[in-house]
Amino acid sequence: MKKLYAVLLLVCLCLCAGCGEQQVQKSDIVLDTAVTLTADGADAKAAIDESMARLKNIDGMVNPNVPDSDVCKLAQYAGSGHWVSLHPEVYKMLAFAQEYAAKTNGAFDVTTKPLVDLWGIGTDHAKVPSPQELMAAQKLVGWQKLELNEENHSARLQEKGMGVDLGGIAKGFAVDEVRQIYAKYGIKDGLINLGASSMYGLGLNKEGKSWRIGLRHPRKDDAQQKMAVLSLQDAALSTSGDYERFFEAGGVRYHHIIDPRTGRPAQSGAMSVTILADASVPDGGMLTDLLTTAVFVLGPEQGTRFLQTLPRGVEGAVVDGRYQLWTTGNMAAEMENVSEEFQFWQGSGELQ
Ligand code: AMP
Ligand code: MG
């Protein structure tokens, strides 16, 4: 009996040492983003350290300011006919991007880079370009002009002046990579947070509840002002909005999500897009990141229609300019504490 008590006491001590004390959190700026990684478990510190190193490693492949990054090499050899050998990670992102460029009729297009650079949104040289500048940049955009060779993981861009921008997909890809590292270290509870725009919630938080994520109000300057709250448990979550990076001129909001078909910041009627993918969805981080951008370009109606064509486990909410929430799947039921300013779109012009 005494022995049994001793064993029970030991188990209790281990568990108590486990609650709270083993949660590790680390923040850093990587991928141009304030990253916060949280993990609970015996190997939490090792998992987080390896994850941070991995994020920096991915940054080095996709960062246009790193001279020998894969994206720089692609731009450098554009139009030369030379195939650029890529890291498998970059190849995977490009192949995924191309698949969805085709599925969205080019709404998502990583070759949008010349337009992204021309508008310069979020930089100190942001401006409304002249029609001539726009036309010249638009000629250099088109996902069909990005060729991939699966056999040797290489790629080339057909015209000089072209480039790829992985800003709409790399953070989601990185979330999936961190998730794999967490799995390797047996982390069951944690939050992978890449600047709130791409996240993955594993298991439960310290209070033993699912992670609660506030969705930002798209028209309140204070980032703490929430539109609604979502519970995140073993799922990827991504949000894109026209409030993230923008400038205003002549009453128009020029933001960072470009419609490659017009060459201009998308005026699709959307203010923000949130997408959830459960654990059954492969590459859920990358997919949700890509979809927020794509659905934003497509707009509330076309965007939600497109989401409905995707496999189960993916669902989303689009906020339009009239504060209406267009949702798919179970999203409407999952949104809690929805601010009174917003209403759920019911179709045919009727609101709930
Ligand atoms: P996100 O904030 O995830 O919507 O990603 C936006 C970023 O993706 C921009 O800052 C650009 O780097 C890039 N981007 C903008 N428009 C597009 C587009 N239509 N397709 C693919 N990438 C885009
Ligand atoms: Mg995105």
Side-chain angles (χ1 to χ4, degrees):
M1 197 62 172
K2 251 188 195 165
K3 223 175 180 178
L4 183 66
Y5 278 135
V7 170
L8 278 177
L9 186 67
L10 195 69
V11 169
C12 269
L13 282 175
C14 290
L15 286 177
C16 287
C19 47
E21 276 176 30
Q22 287 174 353
Q23 187 177 80
V24 180
Q25 191 172 72
K26 209 167 169 179
S27 300
D28 206 340
I29 305 281
V30 204
L31 291 161
D32 220 6
T33 297
V35 172
T36 300
L37 301 180
T38 309
D40 213 315
D43 289 326
K45 187 178 176 311
I48 287 187
D49 287 346
E50 189 172 322
S51 299
M52 280 295 187
R54 182 79 179 120
L55 292 178
K56 286 177 188 164
N57 171 246
I58 296 168
D59 196 352
M61 301 175 202
V62 302
N63 192 329
N65 301 317
V66 173
D68 64 349
S69 65
D70 286 8
V71 295
C72 271
K73 285 188 200 152
L74 274 169
Q76 204 180 321
Y77 287 104
S80 71
H82 178 83
W83 288 88
V84 177
S85 177
L86 302 170
H87 288 91
E89 293 89 339
V90 175
Y91 187 86
K92 184 172 177 177
M93 283 183 247
L94 289 181
F96 202 74
Q98 291 295 77
E99 180 187 337
Y100 278 87
K103 284 183 179 165
T104 61
N105 281 326
F108 189 85
D109 183 346
V110 285
T111 72
T112 306
K113 182 170 166 41
L115 288 165
V116 173
D117 291 347
L118 180 64
W119 284 91
I121 314 278
T123 70
D124 55 8
H125 54 267
K127 58 153 192 194
V128 180
S130 69
Q132 291 80 1
E133 287 175 312
L134 265 179
M135 221 158 50
Q138 239 184 323
K139 279 194 185 137
L140 298 169
V141 174
W143 61 275
Q144 293 95 337
K145 291 187 277 192
L146 164 63
E147 297 174 75
L148 300 184
N149 184 337
E150 199 184 350
E151 269 166 36
N152 59 5
H153 282 179
S154 62
R156 66 180 179 187
L157 291 160
Q158 285 175 0
E159 287 174 38
K160 192 173 163 56
M162 288 184 74
V164 296
D165 180 326
L166 296 176
I169 187 171
K171 284 190 292 241
F173 172 83
V175 163
D176 294 332
E177 290 294 297
V178 173
R179 205 182 136 202
Q180 280 178 33
I181 294 170
Y182 275 26
K184 188 175 87 181
Y185 284 96
I187 307 295
K188 302 240 168 359
D189 301 303
L191 187 66
I192 302 164
N193 181 348
L194 269 66
S197 70
S198 289
M199 296 188 162
Y200 195 95
L202 287 94
L204 305 171
N205 63 16
K206 256 199 319 199
E207 282 83 46
K209 298 192 174 128
S210 53
W211 300 92
R212 288 179 60 79
I213 310 295
L215 302 180
R216 198 175 147 175
H217 189 302
R219 287 294 177 271
K220 294 264 164 62
D221 290 339
D222 178 2
Q224 296 313 313
Q225 294 263 7
K226 302 301 178 197
M227 169 180 82
V229 175
L230 273 181
S231 288
L232 197 62
Q233 193 173 342
D234 297 313
L237 170 72
S238 184
T239 300
S240 281
D242 64 2
Y243 49 82
E244 290 173 73
R245 271 176 279 151
F246 69 95
F247 70 92
E248 277 172 333
V252 180
R253 177 179 290 239
Y254 297 100
H255 57 82
H256 72 306
I257 302 168
I258 306 289
D259 185 339
R261 302 161 303 185
T262 62
R264 298 170 165 274
Q267 299 292 334
S268 63
M271 294 200 290
S272 82
V273 177
T274 296
I275 310 278
L276 266 178
D278 69 28
S280 71
V281 178
D283 302 307
M286 180 156 65
L287 180 63
T288 53
D289 190 6
L290 176 154
L291 286 176
T292 53
T293 314
V295 168
F296 193 104
V297 173
L298 292 172
E301 193 172 348
Q302 267 194 54
T304 45
R305 216 181 301 138
F306 175 65
L307 286 177
Q308 278 156 352
T309 67
L310 298 177
R312 277 166 65 100
V314 182
E315 57 191 23
V318 184
V319 186
D320 72 14
R322 294 168 63 199
Y323 290 53
Q324 297 171 140
L325 290 155
W326 298 60
T327 59
T328 67
N330 210 22
M331 196 74 157
E334 284 166 20
M335 293 173 85
E336 295 169 42
N337 301 358
V338 180
S339 157
E340 280 175 2
E341 288 170 83
F342 298 86
Q343 288 173 286
F344 287 97
W345 165 260
Q346 287 293 292
S348 321
E350 286 163 27
L351 292 176
Q352 202 177 35

